[in-house]
Amino acid sequence: MLVSMTEISAMTEVWVNGKPDCQVNPLERGLAYGDGLFATMRFSGGEVLFLRAHLQRLTQGAKRLGFDWCASDSLISQITHLALTRGDGCIKLLLGRGVGGRGYAAPTSGSITEIVSLHAIPSHYSQWQNTGVSLKSSEVKLAQQPLLAGIKHLNRLEQVLIKSKKLPSGFEDWLVMDQKRNVIESSMANLFLVDGNNVITPSIALAGVAGVMREQVIYALIARGFDLHIHDVSYQQLSQFEHGFITNSLFGLVDINRIDNLTYARSSFTHSIRHSLHLTL
């Protein structure tokens, strides 16, 4: 389903370093090299869902990239104020390492660029929660890089390439594998596969993003007594599972109806997890 530009732009507002401004220094390293991180956070009922987890992940990602950052009181105040005053929507927080020169080497000192933007939740996400989605295997394979695996960094060219091809009719998103044809995620979400009481989410030690919603759903599954496993899943193993679902911070949890020619039944417990985590749209 396509989303109109009117829908996308209707709610968009931008602040750069706390000021309502769409101007970013052209020498910002996030722009030049993808040297930075971002998080997309849903807010509903006056609060940002799992705000602390999002900020902790950004702090950890910054350390892995080699710079220190933690959310200031003023930034947290801005984010929480938006959630309190703007109804329901999405806040995107983007961190660039700051202004640097022409070369790749990072400056020894500098100021992190913080960009906060406000967006509407795509209207079709509620439909996905009700009807489920079908995934088509992408021909684009993710590179294996353990130094970057799990981080939601700004260098998203693999996802741009994945999304550059039009989905066939009847499919809502792409299934993405790595160079060894291990299943990793969808183009925008983490993946879970269910066989009885066993739930497997693919390893992201070498590729993929460690989503905040993935973490929350793992906790919820363990609390319900499921046996949760994290390990490699080959494409050939997909036929061994009864159910599947995908997770991200905006649509929460969505059942998988089909992957290519494989069909899956709807899980009996996904609705209750959505309800308990306040994910229903």
Coordinates of all heavy atoms in Angstrom, one line a residue, residues 99-130:
V99 N 30.3 18.2 12.9 CA 31.0 18.8 11.7 C 32.4 18.3 11.6 O 33.2 18.2 12.6 CB 31.0 20.3 11.8 CG1 31.8 20.9 10.6 CG2 29.5 20.8 11.8
G100 N 32.8 17.8 10.5 CA 34.2 17.3 10.3 C 34.7 17.8 8.9 O 34.0 18.5 8.2
G101 N 35.9 17.5 8.6 CA 36.6 17.9 7.4 C 36.3 17.0 6.3 O 35.3 16.2 6.3
R102 N 37.1 17.0 5.2 CA 36.9 16.2 4.0 C 37.2 14.7 4.3 O 36.5 13.9 3.7 CB 37.7 16.7 2.9 CG 37.5 16.0 1.6 CD 38.6 16.2 0.6 NE 39.9 15.7 1.1 CZ 40.2 14.4 1.1 NH1 39.4 13.5 0.6 NH2 41.4 14.0 1.6
G103 N 38.1 14.4 5.1 CA 38.6 13.0 5.3 C 37.7 12.2 6.1 O 36.8 12.7 6.8
Y104 N 37.9 10.9 6.1 CA 37.1 9.9 6.9 C 37.4 10.0 8.4 O 36.5 9.7 9.2 CB 37.4 8.5 6.4 CG 36.8 8.2 5.0 CD1 37.6 7.5 4.1 CD2 35.5 8.5 4.7 CE1 37.2 7.2 2.8 CE2 35.0 8.2 3.4 CZ 35.9 7.6 2.5 OH 35.4 7.3 1.3
A105 N 38.6 10.3 8.7 CA 39.0 10.3 10.2 C 38.1 11.3 11.0 O 37.9 12.4 10.6 CB 40.5 10.6 10.3
A106 N 37.6 10.8 12.1 CA 36.7 11.6 12.9 C 37.5 12.7 13.6 O 38.7 12.4 14.0 CB 36.0 10.7 13.9
P107 N 36.9 13.9 13.8 CA 37.6 14.9 14.6 C 37.8 14.5 16.1 O 37.0 13.7 16.6 CB 36.7 16.1 14.5 CG 35.3 15.5 14.2 CD 35.6 14.3 13.4
T108 N 38.9 14.9 16.7 CA 39.1 14.6 18.1 C 38.1 15.3 19.0 O 38.0 14.8 20.2 CB 40.5 15.0 18.5 OG1 40.7 16.4 18.2 CG2 41.6 14.2 17.6
S109 N 37.5 16.3 18.6 CA 36.5 17.0 19.4 C 35.4 17.5 18.5 O 35.6 17.7 17.3 CB 37.1 18.1 20.2 OG 37.6 19.1 19.4
G110 N 34.3 17.7 19.0 CA 33.2 18.2 18.2 C 31.9 18.1 19.0 O 31.8 17.5 20.1
S111 N 30.8 18.7 18.4 CA 29.5 18.7 19.0 C 28.6 17.8 18.2 O 28.5 17.9 17.0 CB 29.0 20.1 19.1 OG 27.7 20.1 19.7
I112 N 27.9 16.9 18.9 CA 27.0 16.0 18.3 C 25.8 16.8 17.8 O 25.2 17.6 18.5 CB 26.5 14.9 19.2 CG1 27.7 14.1 19.8 CG2 25.5 13.9 18.5 CD1 28.6 13.5 18.8
T113 N 25.3 16.5 16.5 CA 24.1 17.1 16.0 C 22.9 16.3 16.3 O 22.9 15.1 16.0 CB 24.3 17.3 14.5 OG1 25.4 18.1 14.1 CG2 23.0 18.0 13.9
E114 N 22.0 16.9 17.0 CA 20.7 16.2 17.3 C 19.6 16.7 16.5 O 19.3 17.9 16.6 CB 20.4 16.3 18.8 CG 21.5 15.8 19.8 CD 21.2 16.1 21.2 OE1 20.4 17.0 21.5 OE2 21.9 15.5 22.1
I115 N 18.9 15.9 15.8 CA 17.8 16.3 14.9 C 16.6 15.5 15.4 O 16.6 14.3 15.3 CB 18.1 16.0 13.4 CG1 19.4 16.7 13.0 CG2 16.9 16.4 12.6 CD1 19.8 16.4 11.6
V116 N 15.6 16.2 15.8 CA 14.3 15.6 16.2 C 13.3 16.0 15.1 O 13.1 17.2 14.8 CB 13.9 16.2 17.6 CG1 12.5 15.7 17.9 CG2 14.9 15.8 18.7
S117 N 12.5 15.0 14.7 CA 11.5 15.3 13.7 C 10.2 14.5 14.1 O 10.3 13.5 14.7 CB 11.9 14.9 12.3 OG 12.3 13.6 12.2
L118 N 9.1 15.1 13.8 CA 7.8 14.6 14.2 C 7.0 14.1 12.9 O 7.0 14.8 11.9 CB 7.0 15.7 14.9 CG 5.7 15.3 15.6 CD1 6.0 14.5 16.8 CD2 5.0 16.6 16.0
H119 N 6.4 12.9 13.0 CA 5.8 12.3 11.8 C 4.5 11.6 12.2 O 4.4 11.2 13.4 CB 6.7 11.3 11.2 CG 8.1 11.8 10.9 ND1 8.4 12.4 9.7 CD2 9.2 11.9 11.7 CE1 9.7 12.8 9.7 NE2 10.2 12.5 10.9
A120 N 3.6 11.4 11.3 CA 2.4 10.6 11.5 C 2.8 9.2 11.3 O 3.7 8.8 10.6 CB 1.4 11.0 10.4
I121 N 2.0 8.3 12.0 CA 2.1 6.9 11.9 C 1.4 6.5 10.6 O 0.2 6.9 10.4 CB 1.5 6.1 13.0 CG1 2.2 6.5 14.4 CG2 1.5 4.6 12.8 CD1 3.5 6.0 14.5
P122 N 2.0 5.8 9.6 CA 1.3 5.4 8.4 C 0.0 4.7 8.7 O -0.1 3.8 9.6 CB 2.3 4.4 7.7 CG 3.7 4.9 8.2 CD 3.4 5.3 9.7
S123 N -1.1 5.1 8.1 CA -2.4 4.7 8.4 C -2.6 3.2 8.1 O -3.4 2.5 8.8 CB -3.4 5.4 7.6 OG -3.2 5.3 6.2
H124 N -1.8 2.6 7.2 CA -2.0 1.2 6.9 C -1.4 0.2 7.9 O -1.6 -1.0 7.9 CB -1.4 0.8 5.5 CG 0.1 1.1 5.4 ND1 0.6 2.3 5.2 CD2 1.1 0.2 5.5 CE1 1.9 2.2 5.1 NE2 2.3 1.0 5.3
Y125 N -0.7 0.8 8.9 CA -0.1 -0.1 9.9 C -1.2 -0.7 10.8 O -1.1 -1.9 11.2 CB 0.9 0.7 10.8 CG 2.2 0.9 10.2 CD1 3.2 1.6 10.9 CD2 2.6 0.4 9.0 CE1 4.5 1.8 10.3 CE2 3.8 0.6 8.4 CZ 4.8 1.3 9.1 OH 6.0 1.5 8.5
S126 N -2.3 0.0 11.0 CA -3.4 -0.6 11.8 C -4.0 -1.8 11.0 O -4.4 -2.8 11.6 CB -4.4 0.4 12.2 OG -5.0 1.0 11.0
Q127 N -4.1 -1.6 9.7 CA -4.6 -2.7 8.8 C -3.7 -3.9 8.9 O -4.2 -5.1 9.0 CB -4.8 -2.2 7.4 CG -5.3 -3.3 6.4 CD -5.3 -2.8 5.0 OE1 -5.3 -1.6 4.7 NE2 -5.3 -3.7 4.1
W128 N -2.4 -3.7 8.9 CA -1.4 -4.8 9.0 C -1.7 -5.6 10.3 O -1.6 -6.8 10.3 CB 0.0 -4.3 8.9 CG 0.4 -3.9 7.6 CD1 -0.3 -3.8 6.4 CD2 1.8 -3.5 7.2 NE1 0.5 -3.4 5.4 CE2 1.8 -3.2 5.8 CE3 3.0 -3.4 7.9 CZ2 2.9 -2.8 5.1 CZ3 4.1 -3.1 7.2 CH2 4.1 -2.8 5.8
Q129 N -1.9 -4.9 11.4 CA -2.1 -5.6 12.6 C -3.4 -6.5 12.6 O -3.4 -7.5 13.1 CB -2.3 -4.5 13.8 CG -1.0 -3.9 14.2 CD -1.2 -3.1 15.5 OE1 -2.3 -2.9 16.0 NE2 -0.1 -2.6 16.1
N130 N -4.4 -6.0 11.8 CA -5.6 -6.8 11.7 C -5.5 -7.9 10.7 O -6.1 -9.0 11.0 CB -6.8 -5.9 11.3 CG -7.1 -4.9 12.4 OD1 -7.0 -5.2 13.6 ND2 -7.5 -3.7 12.0

